Amino acid sequence: MSYDEAFAVRYEEWSAHMTEDIGFYVELAVESDGPIVELAVGNGRVAIPVAEATGRTVIGFDTSSAMLAQAHENAAAAGVTLDLRETDMRDLSLAEPAGLIYCPFRSLLHLPSWSDRRRTFERVGASLRPGGRLAWNAFAFDHVIATELDGRHDEDPVPHTLHYDVVDNRIDIVLDEGETSSLWWATKNEWLGLLDVSGLELEALYGTFDKQPLDETSREYIFVARLGG
């Protein structure tokens, strides 16, 4: 994974603006049967509302001990229970197949290679019950936006600079104190290919979290896939 552990100190500030995805993932969780799993659970930003809405324990995986500590503290403050596991999503393993596995906030983009993503999707396919769902979102790369933002310093949501490496399909988010988080973007067809190799079927592909269809103006992929059977 590409996450700088020191980035966790500023994560709550970094992610505070992101709220529009919560209702989308909560709705999927309410509809699901069986265990609910969040990959890259972070500080519990989505998992806690999911646990509140469903009355169930959300299983959360993350490689960052600092983020898991925040999630534990935030869940306790909210009065919900999260089953938090310091485990790489590429090594996903469950005692009972899940009804929903989701990965919000573009976190699958922290996996740097096709083989990393394929391994993760295969583990997801092996960890879902028949009819279980996988949901995630990722940005659609836009060269105009990349040109505008590359090397630019911004103060919001915390002081940082973005660096684009087009050859490596990578964005480095570098905070002013030096903490770095990297994302590797992928095309729509690459994501669809991952579904093919993992035995999952596309159920829906949206361009917004209020379920507007993906079109030529969309800059976000919001996928819902299902395991057949």
Side-chain angles (χ1 to χ4, degrees), residues 70-111:
Q70 291 182 36
H72 178 77
E73 181 178 339
N74 292 338
V80 300
T81 301
L82 302 181
D83 179 355
L84 299 171
R85 306 180 185 184
E86 189 173 343
T87 304
D88 195 309
M89 67 175 75
R90 291 168 288 196
D91 299 320
L92 174 65
S93 179
L94 299 172
E96 179 184 353
L100 173 67
I101 299 174
Y102 66 96
C103 189
F105 208 23
R106 305 170 173 173
S107 293
L108 283 172
L109 299 183
H110 289 299
L111 297 170

Coordinates of all heavy atoms in Angstrom, one line a residue, residues 70-111:
Q70 N -7.7 5.7 15.5 CA -8.7 6.8 15.3 C -10.1 6.2 15.2 O -11.1 6.7 15.7 CB -8.4 7.7 14.1 CG -7.2 8.6 14.3 CD -7.0 9.5 13.1 OE1 -7.9 9.9 12.5 NE2 -5.7 9.7 12.8
A71 N -10.2 5.1 14.3 CA -11.5 4.5 14.1 C -12.1 3.9 15.4 O -13.3 4.0 15.7 CB -11.4 3.4 13.1
H72 N -11.2 3.3 16.2 CA -11.6 2.7 17.5 C -12.1 3.8 18.4 O -13.2 3.7 19.0 CB -10.4 2.0 18.1 CG -10.8 1.4 19.5 ND1 -11.5 0.3 19.7 CD2 -10.5 1.9 20.7 CE1 -11.6 0.0 20.9 NE2 -11.0 1.0 21.6
E73 N -11.4 4.9 18.5 CA -11.8 6.0 19.3 C -13.1 6.7 18.8 O -14.0 7.0 19.6 CB -10.7 7.1 19.4 CG -11.0 8.3 20.2 CD -9.9 9.3 20.3 OE1 -8.7 8.9 20.0 OE2 -10.1 10.5 20.6
N74 N -13.3 6.9 17.5 CA -14.5 7.5 17.0 C -15.7 6.6 17.1 O -16.8 7.1 17.4 CB -14.3 7.8 15.5 CG -13.3 8.9 15.3 OD1 -13.0 9.7 16.2 ND2 -12.7 9.0 14.1
A75 N -15.5 5.3 17.0 CA -16.6 4.3 17.1 C -17.1 4.3 18.6 O -18.3 4.3 18.9 CB -16.2 2.9 16.7
A76 N -16.2 4.3 19.5 CA -16.5 4.4 20.9 C -17.3 5.6 21.3 O -18.3 5.6 22.0 CB -15.3 4.3 21.8
A77 N -16.9 6.7 20.7 CA -17.6 8.0 20.9 C -19.0 8.0 20.4 O -19.9 8.6 20.9 CB -16.8 9.2 20.4
A78 N -19.2 7.2 19.2 CA -20.5 7.2 18.6 C -21.4 6.1 19.2 O -22.5 6.0 18.8 CB -20.3 6.9 17.1
G79 N -20.8 5.2 20.0 CA -21.5 4.1 20.7 C -21.8 3.0 19.8 O -22.8 2.3 19.9
V80 N -20.9 2.7 18.8 CA -21.1 1.6 17.9 C -19.9 0.7 18.0 O -18.8 1.1 18.5 CB -21.3 2.0 16.4 CG1 -22.6 2.8 16.3 CG2 -20.1 2.7 15.9
T81 N -20.0 -0.5 17.5 CA -18.9 -1.5 17.5 C -18.4 -1.8 16.1 O -19.1 -2.0 15.2 CB -19.4 -2.8 18.1 OG1 -19.8 -2.6 19.4 CG2 -18.2 -3.8 18.2
L82 N -17.1 -1.6 16.0 CA -16.4 -2.0 14.7 C -15.4 -3.1 15.0 O -14.7 -3.1 16.1 CB -15.6 -0.8 14.1 CG -16.4 0.5 13.8 CD1 -15.5 1.5 13.2 CD2 -17.5 0.2 12.8
D83 N -15.4 -4.1 14.2 CA -14.4 -5.2 14.3 C -13.2 -4.8 13.4 O -13.2 -5.0 12.2 CB -15.0 -6.5 13.8 CG -14.0 -7.7 13.8 OD1 -12.9 -7.5 14.1 OD2 -14.5 -8.8 13.5
L84 N -12.2 -4.2 14.0 CA -11.1 -3.5 13.3 C -9.9 -4.5 13.2 O -9.4 -5.1 14.2 CB -10.7 -2.2 14.0 CG -11.8 -1.2 14.0 CD1 -11.4 0.0 14.9 CD2 -12.2 -0.7 12.6
R85 N -9.4 -4.6 12.0 CA -8.3 -5.6 11.7 C -7.2 -4.9 10.9 O -7.4 -4.4 9.9 CB -8.8 -6.8 10.9 CG -10.1 -7.4 11.6 CD -10.6 -8.6 10.8 NE -11.8 -9.1 11.4 CZ -12.5 -10.2 11.0 NH1 -12.0 -10.9 10.0 NH2 -13.6 -10.6 11.6
E86 N -6.0 -5.0 11.5 CA -4.8 -4.4 10.8 C -4.3 -5.4 9.8 O -3.4 -6.2 10.1 CB -3.7 -4.1 11.9 CG -2.6 -3.3 11.2 CD -1.6 -2.7 12.3 OE1 -1.9 -2.7 13.5 OE2 -0.5 -2.4 11.9
T87 N -4.9 -5.4 8.7 CA -4.6 -6.4 7.6 C -4.7 -5.7 6.3 O -5.6 -4.9 6.0 CB -5.7 -7.6 7.7 OG1 -5.6 -8.2 9.0 CG2 -5.3 -8.6 6.6
D88 N -3.8 -6.1 5.4 CA -3.8 -5.6 4.0 C -5.0 -6.2 3.3 O -5.3 -7.4 3.4 CB -2.5 -6.1 3.3 CG -2.2 -5.3 2.0 OD1 -3.1 -5.3 1.2 OD2 -1.1 -4.8 1.9
M89 N -5.7 -5.3 2.5 CA -6.9 -5.8 1.7 C -6.5 -6.9 0.7 O -7.3 -7.7 0.4 CB -7.6 -4.7 1.0 CG -6.8 -4.0 -0.1 SD -7.7 -2.7 -1.0 CE -7.7 -1.4 0.2
R90 N -5.2 -7.0 0.3 CA -4.8 -8.0 -0.6 C -4.8 -9.4 0.1 O -4.7 -10.4 -0.6 CB -3.4 -7.7 -1.1 CG -3.4 -6.5 -2.1 CD -2.0 -6.0 -2.4 NE -1.4 -5.3 -1.2 CZ -0.3 -4.6 -1.3 NH1 0.3 -4.4 -2.5 NH2 0.2 -4.0 -0.2
D91 N -4.9 -9.4 1.4 CA -4.9 -10.6 2.2 C -6.3 -10.8 2.8 O -6.4 -11.5 3.9 CB -3.8 -10.6 3.3 CG -2.4 -10.5 2.6 OD1 -2.2 -11.1 1.6 OD2 -1.6 -9.8 3.2
L92 N -7.3 -10.3 2.3 CA -8.6 -10.4 2.8 C -9.0 -11.8 3.1 O -8.9 -12.7 2.2 CB -9.7 -9.7 1.9 CG -11.1 -9.8 2.2 CD1 -11.4 -9.1 3.5 CD2 -12.0 -9.3 1.1
S93 N -9.5 -12.1 4.3 CA -10.0 -13.4 4.7 C -11.1 -13.3 5.7 O -10.9 -12.5 6.7 CB -8.8 -14.3 5.2 OG -9.3 -15.6 5.6
L94 N -12.2 -14.0 5.5 CA -13.3 -13.9 6.5 C -13.7 -15.3 6.9 O -13.7 -16.2 6.1 CB -14.5 -13.2 5.8 CG -14.3 -11.8 5.3 CD1 -15.5 -11.3 4.4 CD2 -14.0 -10.8 6.4
A95 N -14.2 -15.4 8.2 CA -14.7 -16.6 8.7 C -16.0 -17.0 8.0 O -16.4 -18.1 7.9 CB -14.8 -16.6 10.2
E96 N -16.8 -15.9 7.7 CA -18.1 -16.1 7.2 C -18.2 -15.2 5.9 O -17.9 -14.0 6.0 CB -19.2 -15.7 8.2 CG -20.6 -15.8 7.7 CD -21.7 -15.3 8.7 OE1 -21.3 -15.0 9.8 OE2 -22.8 -15.2 8.3
P97 N -18.7 -15.7 4.8 CA -18.8 -14.9 3.6 C -19.7 -13.6 3.8 O -20.7 -13.7 4.5 CB -19.5 -15.8 2.6 CG -19.2 -17.2 3.1 CD -19.2 -17.1 4.6
A98 N -19.3 -12.5 3.2 CA -19.9 -11.2 3.4 C -21.1 -11.0 2.5 O -21.1 -11.5 1.4 CB -18.9 -10.1 3.3
G99 N -22.0 -10.2 2.9 CA -23.1 -9.8 2.1 C -22.7 -8.5 1.3 O -23.3 -8.2 0.2
L100 N -21.8 -7.7 1.9 CA -21.4 -6.5 1.2 C -19.9 -6.2 1.6 O -19.6 -6.3 2.8 CB -22.2 -5.3 1.7 CG -21.7 -3.9 1.2 CD1 -21.8 -3.7 -0.3 CD2 -22.5 -2.8 1.9
I101 N -19.1 -6.0 0.6 CA -17.7 -5.5 0.8 C -17.7 -4.2 0.0 O -18.0 -4.1 -1.2 CB -16.7 -6.5 0.3 CG1 -16.8 -7.8 1.1 CG2 -15.3 -5.9 0.4 CD1 -15.9 -8.9 0.6
Y102 N -17.2 -3.1 0.7 CA -17.2 -1.8 0.0 C -15.8 -1.1 0.3 O -15.2 -1.4 1.4 CB -18.3 -0.9 0.4 CG -18.4 -0.5 1.8 CD1 -17.9 0.8 2.2 CD2 -19.0 -1.3 2.8 CE1 -17.9 1.2 3.5 CE2 -19.0 -0.9 4.1 CZ -18.5 0.4 4.5 OH -18.5 0.8 5.8
C103 N -15.4 -0.2 -0.6 CA -14.1 0.5 -0.4 C -14.3 1.9 -0.9 O -14.2 2.2 -2.1 CB -13.1 -0.2 -1.2 SG -11.4 0.4 -0.9
P104 N -14.6 2.8 0.0 CA -14.9 4.2 -0.3 C -13.7 5.1 -0.5 O -12.5 4.6 -0.3 CB -15.7 4.7 0.9 CG -15.2 3.9 2.0 CD -14.8 2.6 1.5
F105 N -13.9 6.3 -0.9 CA -12.9 7.4 -0.9 C -11.7 7.0 -1.8 O -10.6 7.3 -1.5 CB -12.5 7.8 0.5 CG -12.1 9.2 0.6 CD1 -12.5 10.2 -0.2 CD2 -11.2 9.5 1.7 CE1 -12.0 11.5 -0.1 CE2 -10.8 10.9 1.8 CZ -11.2 11.8 0.9
R106 N -12.0 6.3 -2.9 CA -10.9 6.0 -3.9 C -9.8 5.2 -3.4 O -8.7 5.2 -3.9 CB -10.4 7.3 -4.5 CG -11.5 8.2 -5.1 CD -11.0 9.6 -5.4 NE -11.9 10.4 -6.2 CZ -11.8 11.7 -6.5 NH1 -10.7 12.3 -6.1 NH2 -12.7 12.3 -7.1
S107 N -10.0 4.4 -2.3 CA -8.9 3.8 -1.6 C -8.3 2.6 -2.4 O -7.2 2.3 -2.1 CB -9.4 3.3 -0.2 OG -9.7 4.4 0.6
L108 N -9.0 2.0 -3.3 CA -8.4 1.0 -4.2 C -7.3 1.6 -5.0 O -6.4 0.8 -5.5 CB -9.5 0.3 -5.1 CG -10.4 -0.7 -4.4 CD1 -11.5 -1.1 -5.3 CD2 -9.6 -1.9 -3.9
L109 N -7.3 2.9 -5.2 CA -6.2 3.5 -6.0 C -4.9 3.5 -5.2 O -3.9 3.9 -5.8 CB -6.6 4.9 -6.4 CG -7.9 5.0 -7.3 CD1 -8.1 6.5 -7.7 CD2 -7.8 4.2 -8.5
H110 N -4.9 3.2 -3.9 CA -3.6 3.1 -3.2 C -2.9 1.8 -3.6 O -1.7 1.7 -3.2 CB -3.9 3.1 -1.7 CG -4.3 4.4 -1.2 ND1 -3.5 5.6 -1.3 CD2 -5.4 4.8 -0.6 CE1 -4.2 6.6 -0.7 NE2 -5.3 6.1 -0.3
L111 N -3.5 0.9 -4.3 CA -2.8 -0.3 -4.8 C -2.1 0.0 -6.1 O -2.7 0.5 -7.1 CB -3.8 -1.4 -5.0 CG -4.6 -1.9 -3.8 CD1 -5.7 -2.8 -4.2 CD2 -3.7 -2.6 -2.8

